[in-house]
Amino acid sequence: MAASSKKRIKLSQPAKDILWSESGGHCQNPGCRVDLHAFTDQVHVAELAHIIPASTKGPRAIEGADLTESERADPTNILVLCPTCHTVIDKGPSQYPAEVLRRWKERSQRARAVAFGTPQFTSRAEARAAIEPLLGANRAVFQLYGPLDDVFDDTRADQWRRHVADTVIPNNRSLLHLLQSNRDLLTVTEKETLDIFAIHAQQLEERHLGENWTPGSTRFPEAINSIMKGDV
């Protein structure tokens, strides 16, 4: 990465701990994910790679021209990569723009949450108790503000967009984490419902957070509301 004319802001140890934790000790390039402990039993070979460079010159600098020095040094702007991937992204910034690298980081964070931050239950009743509040909150938002056939109300639409971003999308992510982590408790039919829900949830995010309004989105599978109900 290009050298800066100023001395870089050093990352604090807590910031480094956050980055190491979210990476799980693996390269955050989803096409690599090499174990960064595996090269030697003495030290790891992880490298801290800036998404927007620490200096105002360097790979992807133009994409973050308005960032301050402290924002460039923030953990949200840094990936943990193996030496090879770090070199590749900095030598090919047009192939690896900031948007792609941020998706890598988010994907790694989600994988960690699923692997370590989501409880695994021993019974369907326990799992249902965990997901019921999330389903209930989403259902309430839809009943109060959800789109109505042949009706357009600016106020209702604004409320819907706000609550989708603030409530429905975060709840959907939690639901997917819980259900995927406890997939072994699902019936075959419930697994099919979950897979459809995952596509619906992704498309909902793309519409409301990514402004991708491509028509023909997957509808919410109503069967998700009764998933994990009762024994099998």
Side-chain angles (χ1 to χ4, degrees):
M1 191 171 291
S4 172
S5 59
K6 295 182 180 179
K7 190 174 182 181
R8 291 185 179 183
I9 297 176
K10 289 187 177 181
L11 284 179
S12 67
Q13 190 57 50
K16 292 179 181 179
D17 292 343
I18 289 171
L19 290 166
W20 188 253
S21 175
E22 78 172 24
S23 74
H26 289 74
C27 177
Q28 286 184 285
N29 175 356
C32 177
R33 296 299 289 155
V34 68
D35 184 349
L36 297 171
H37 295 95
F39 295 89
T40 171
D41 60 0
Q42 298 298 318
V43 295
H44 67 73
V45 293
E47 294 189 0
L48 301 181
H50 287 75
I51 296 173
I52 302 301
S55 69
T56 55
K57 298 179 180 179
R60 297 168 297 278
I62 194 170
E63 296 183 70
D66 58 340
L67 293 185
T68 65
E69 274 191 280
S70 60
E71 288 171 334
R72 292 167 186 269
D74 192 89
T76 58
N77 186 49
I78 296 172
L79 284 164
V80 176
L81 298 176
C82 69
T84 298
C85 288
H86 191 180
T87 300
V88 167
I89 68 164
D90 281 358
K91 285 186 176 292
S94 62
Q95 294 175 273
Y96 300 97
E99 179 184 359
V100 168
L101 303 185
R102 291 189 183 108
R103 284 202 299 267
W104 287 5
K105 188 174 180 73
E106 182 179 0
R107 184 169 176 176
S108 178
Q109 291 167 334
R110 291 185 184 183
R112 179 188 180 280
V114 170
F116 303 110
T118 305
Q120 290 185 298
F121 300 105
T122 58
S123 73
R124 287 170 59 87
E126 288 179 318
R128 178 66 195 185
I131 66 174
E132 177 61 39
L134 300 169
L135 290 169
N138 282 4
R139 191 161 49 244
V141 168
F142 184 79
Q143 289 171 346
L144 289 170
Y145 307 114
L148 298 173
D149 291 338
D150 302 320
V151 175
F152 186 79
D153 179 323
D154 283 335
T155 300
R156 184 184 181 98
D158 288 344
Q159 290 282 9
W160 171 243
R161 284 190 289 269
R162 180 169 71 84
H163 284 285
V164 165
D166 292 347
T167 301
V168 176
I169 287 175
N171 283 355
N172 281 351
R173 291 175 179 174
S174 296
L175 283 165
L176 286 169
H177 290 165
L178 284 163
L179 290 168
Q180 294 286 17
S181 291
N182 294 276
R183 194 179 177 92
D184 59 315
L185 297 175
L186 299 175
T187 66
V188 172
T189 301
E190 287 175 333
K191 289 176 183 177
E192 293 172 353
T193 297
L194 172 57
D195 292 339
I196 294 171
F197 175 67
I199 296 171
H200 163 79
Q202 178 184 348
Q203 291 175 343
L204 188 72
E205 286 201 31
E206 290 172 351
R207 289 200 304 277
H208 286 268
L209 302 184
E211 296 296 324
N212 179 1
W213 298 96
T214 304
S217 297
T218 304
R219 294 181 66 85
F220 173 77
E222 290 292 338
I224 205 77
N225 282 321
S226 58
I227 202 165
M228 291 280 197
K229 274 191 174 180
D231 296 327
V232 294

